[in-house]
Amino acid sequence: MRFNVAAAAASVALLASSAYAEDQKVVKDESSSSSTAAESSSTAKVAPPTPTFTPTKLKAPFLEQFAEGWDKRWKPSHAKKEVQGDEEWAYVGEWAVEEPTVYKGMEGDAGLVAKNAAAHHAISAKFPKKIDPKGKTLVVQYEVKLQNGLECGGAYLKLLRENKALHQEEFANTTPYVIMFGPDKCGHTNKVHFIFNHKSPKTGEYEEKQLSSPPSAKIVKTTELYTLIVHPNNTFIIQQNGENVKEGNLLEDFTPSVNPPTEIDDPKDKKPDDWVDEARIPDPEATKPEDWDEDAPFEIVDEEATQPDDWLVDEPTQIPDPEAQKPEDWDDEEDGDWIAPTIPNPKCADISGCGPWTKPMKKNPDYKGKWTAPFIDNPAYKGVWAPRKIKNPNYFEDKTPANFEPMGAIGFEIWTMQNNILFDNIYIGHSVEDAAKLAKETFFKKHPVEEYLENADKPKEEEKKKPESPSDLKFSDDPIKYITEKLDLFLTIAKSNPVEAVKFVPEVAGGLAAIVATFLFVLLSVLGGGSAPVPAGKKAEAKDKAAEAKDKVSKAATTGAETVKSEATKRKGGNKD
């Protein structure tokens, strides 16, 4: 059976390109991070003292530090998660309150930890009294510590709509919420969500409003502080570690917009049958010139060409590979006569060509192709048709969307591929100053210690750390391991959610598609009788190909298998992209 090596090599090269490009990006990022680490190490040679946790004396509508009695407030959900189709997933993820095990920055400081990898988690706590932000500044602040990093998962919170019928054990992705805020990452998607549900005063229906250009989350293993401040004048600020990373307005920076358009297209208006919307048409008065020859060929034989002096007419362009050997398990009766594969003839590499020579083709100076009439402006053109506008029957104007509906509880409803995500020091209230004081008592005491531990844990330039997860792997370091690890990750995620597997590991999906396409091409080539012979007269471009052909084929298997892998799953329903 004949195999189109060029097609296979091209397919494999295509698969390798994504991994190579990603490697180059990683190299660049590592170069930048290494210089940053060097600067940090030079300024943080002495370990700062580790502080001890002291419960805050600050008061707020809701303030949680997960001290004794936390389990009386927080209840895990036992509901089923509703998803599209007939599938149903349970919230099997377990929760615990414990001190961090990675870069511990404060003694005695415990937080709420999502314990399971690749699992759905849901837990909530009711507020002592409902929180009504109408006419007040709303401040939402909490800490997130990604102890094992975050390749695919959410670490956001939800402020749930006040509802007397709310049962914590039934908390799920369908539970109505007012605000969703916090980091979310999967594959190349990385954002800090800010979503709020807005009720139409006209229809009474709720609609999610998502921040149009959210900031990126910082995916590190140290504690990160996320703060959302919404003022009564509809302006908002998002902070990370106390620094502003996004400012905007609820009326201007969300999709879809809070207020609908005053006018909409009339659904009953139809385009007239005689409406002409073709701006240009072929000139009806134009005629083909008499000297226009539509039958003239695109190429003609170059009669002036002569055979190059170094052309070897008696040498074949392909020869049997002298290094090839018959496989030990080859059975002539079952497999037929063994024939060595062919390779480009090395004698043809440094000359003009081999084999029978014929005069080459050249572009025909008299070629004009098929004649068509030139286009002119259409005298009957009426313009682009659009339906007439009518008043929007559902129009309203809400000038104060910052008057969110009352909130009765807080919840974490997430799906994550990494475990041991820790949440701590949650503040829900109305005082920007008190939230900053809480951060000063907790985050800004522990964070310098954690950063010191993180920098001390970074490998020196001569001591490269082994990759801890598939996302840390680089194709150039170990192609085989890169392929196997990425493929394993893809298959693991695909068992739970094939769509999210494609999103998180697009290289695998793309590689599989390329391999299938190559197989179909080869199959069609075989059924069609194989490849056509190379036209005589074409100058042999074997100088580079002869030396590289075997390398391309050998690299094909490695590169092709490698591209089939790398980014996977995500939440649905409550988890917004």
Side-chain angles (χ1 to χ4, degrees):
M1 175 170 143
R2 300 174 65 185
F3 183 83
N4 192 320
V5 175
S11 175
V12 169
L14 176 64
L15 297 177
S17 62
S18 63
Y20 176 78
E22 189 65 23
D23 278 2
Q24 300 311 302
K25 180 179 182 299
V26 169
V27 169
K28 182 179 179 181
D29 293 344
E30 286 185 347
S31 175
S32 175
S33 62
S34 63
S35 61
T36 303
E39 294 174 3
S40 300
S41 61
S42 64
T43 58
K45 295 180 180 179
V46 180
T50 302
T52 300
F53 171 74
T54 302
T56 185
K57 295 181 180 180
L58 294 169
K59 302 296 180 182
F62 183 80
L63 198 158
E64 181 64 80
Q65 293 187 297
F66 297 100
E68 186 176 352
W70 71 271
D71 53 344
K72 295 180 180 178
R73 297 180 295 276
W74 292 84
K75 303 295 182 184
S77 173
H78 301 294
K80 300 287 186 180
K81 181 172 183 176
E82 295 185 13
V83 296
Q84 295 178 351
D86 299 329
E87 283 189 284
E88 211 175 52
W89 295 333
Y91 291 99
V92 298
E94 298 176 345
W95 296 89
V97 166
E98 57 192 30
E99 295 186 44
T101 58
V102 178
Y103 306 145
K104 182 178 178 180
M106 180 177 285
E107 291 292 340
D109 185 22
L112 180 67
V113 180
K115 296 297 295 179
N116 303 97
H120 298 270
H121 295 72
I123 194 170
S124 62
K126 288 188 175 182
F127 297 147
K129 294 191 303 183
K130 71 176 181 181
I131 298 177
D132 188 352
K134 185 175 182 180
K136 304 174 185 177
T137 294
L138 176 64
V139 182
V140 181
Q141 179 174 283
Y142 72 115
E143 296 174 359
V144 177
K145 186 175 178 66
L146 307 171
Q147 299 189 83
N148 291 325
L150 188 65
E151 294 177 7
C152 188
Y156 46 79
L157 59 75
K158 292 181 178 180
L159 301 182
L160 308 181
R161 193 185 310 158
E162 165 63 9
N163 183 355
K164 294 181 179 179
L166 174 64
H167 298 289
Q168 290 176 269
E169 64 273 8
E170 298 177 359
F171 172 47
N173 62 313
T174 54
T175 302
Y177 70 88
V178 179
I179 289 176
M180 187 171 110
F181 172 65
D184 185 17
K185 182 183 186 300
C186 196
H188 300 297
T189 298
N190 180 2
K191 65 179 72 174
V192 178
H193 280 300
F194 176 20
I195 305 173
F196 67 93
N197 266 302
H198 182 264
K199 183 179 180 180
S200 167
K202 196 81 172 182
T203 65
E205 296 179 353
Y206 288 89
E207 187 175 46
E208 287 184 345
K209 311 296 183 180
Q210 301 194 34
L211 182 58
S212 301
S213 300
S216 298
K218 190 175 181 182
I219 309 302
V220 292
K221 296 180 181 180
T222 55
T223 299
E224 294 297 299
L225 181 69
Y226 290 91
T227 307
L228 170 65
I229 303 170
V230 183
H231 295 292
N233 65 356
N234 302 319
T235 60
F236 70 89
I237 299 173
I238 294 177
Q239 297 178 339
Q240 290 186 35
N241 299 347
E243 297 183 358
N244 293 3
V245 294
K246 182 70 177 182
E247 298 181 44
N249 192 297
L250 301 183
L251 292 171
E252 300 171 358
D253 299 295
F254 285 77
T255 304
S257 61
V258 171
N259 296 315
T262 57
E263 292 184 325
I264 61 171
D265 292 339
D266 185 355
K268 297 180 180 179
D269 192 16
K270 306 297 180 184
K271 184 171 73 172
D273 294 337
D274 60 350
W275 189 276
V276 178
D277 49 14
E278 294 179 341
R280 293 176 64 80
I281 59 172
D283 185 355
E285 299 180 0
T287 58
K288 184 174 69 172
E290 295 181 358
D291 61 347
W292 191 287
D293 185 2
E294 292 185 343
D295 298 325
F298 178 73
E299 288 185 324
I300 58 175
V301 176
D302 184 359
E303 299 294 347
E304 298 178 357
T306 58
Q307 178 177 308
D309 294 337
D310 62 347
W311 192 281
L312 302 178
V313 177
D314 298 328
E315 284 290 339
T317 58
Q318 298 281 324
I319 63 171
D321 186 353
E323 298 180 4
Q325 295 182 353
K326 180 179 178 180
E328 294 180 0
D329 59 349
W330 187 276
D331 189 324
D332 290 339
E333 293 184 0
E334 293 185 3
D335 302 325
D337 293 336
W338 182 80
I339 301 176
T342 60
I343 61 171
N345 189 341
K347 294 182 180 180
C348 306
D350 298 322
I351 61 174
S352 299
C354 295
W357 182 86
T358 57
K359 291 184 178 182
M361 304 293 287
K362 69 175 184 179
K363 186 176 179 179
N364 185 358
D366 296 326
Y367 172 77
K368 292 185 178 181
K370 184 176 178 60
W371 181 87
T372 57
F375 275 73
I376 61 171
D377 292 337
N378 188 352
Y381 177 62
K382 293 185 178 182
V384 178
W385 184 86
R388 62 175 172 267
K389 296 289 185 179
I390 61 173
K391 290 185 177 181
N392 186 353
N394 294 323
Y395 172 75
F396 62 83
E397 184 179 15
D398 183 354
K399 296 182 179 181
T400 56
N403 288 338
F404 300 116
E405 291 196 317
M407 296 165 283
I410 180 176
F412 292 98
E413 187 271 316
I414 60 176
W415 184 94
T416 176
M417 278 294 291
Q418 281 65 48
N419 63 345
N420 291 331
I421 298 177
L422 185 148
F423 305 98
D424 200 5
N425 294 312
I426 304 172
Y427 176 95
I428 312 294
H430 308 292
S431 174
V432 176
E433 293 76 16
D434 284 353
K437 288 179 182 178
L438 179 63
K440 187 176 181 180
E441 294 176 5
T442 55
F443 174 78
F444 288 106
K445 285 186 176 180
K446 73 175 79 170
H447 197 246
V449 179
E450 293 184 7
E451 285 189 316
Y452 174 84
L453 296 174
E454 180 188 36
N455 288 332
D457 195 37
K458 287 181 179 178
K460 297 179 180 179
E461 194 63 32
E462 66 273 12
E463 299 174 0
K464 290 295 183 180
K465 193 176 182 180
K466 292 183 179 180
E468 296 180 353
S469 72
S471 290
D472 298 329
L473 294 172
K474 292 191 295 183
F475 174 74
S476 57
D477 290 344
D478 190 339
I480 301 300
K481 184 174 182 180
Y482 179 95
I483 294 169
T484 55
E485 290 293 334
K486 292 288 187 179
L487 185 56
D488 286 345
L489 179 61
F490 179 86
L491 295 175
T492 298
I493 298 170
K495 291 178 181 178
S496 300
N497 193 327
V499 175
E500 296 302 333
V502 173
K503 290 182 181 179
F504 188 55
V505 198
E507 300 97 314
V508 176
L512 289 173
I515 291 173
V516 170
T518 302
F519 173 76
L520 292 176
F521 179 82
V522 173
L523 181 62
L524 292 174
S525 297
V526 172
L527 295 177
S531 303
V534 178
K538 292 290 184 180
K539 184 174 182 179
E541 299 177 354
K543 182 174 182 178
D544 297 325
K545 294 181 181 177
E548 298 177 2
K550 293 180 67 177
D551 289 339
K552 287 184 178 179
V553 175
S554 63
K555 290 178 182 177
T558 301
T559 311
E562 164 270 315
T563 310
V564 190
K565 318 196 344 309
S566 170
E567 297 185 353
T569 61
K570 208 171 186 197
R571 311 137 305 291
K572 295 184 181 178
N575 179 30
K576 306 297 173 187
D577 289 333

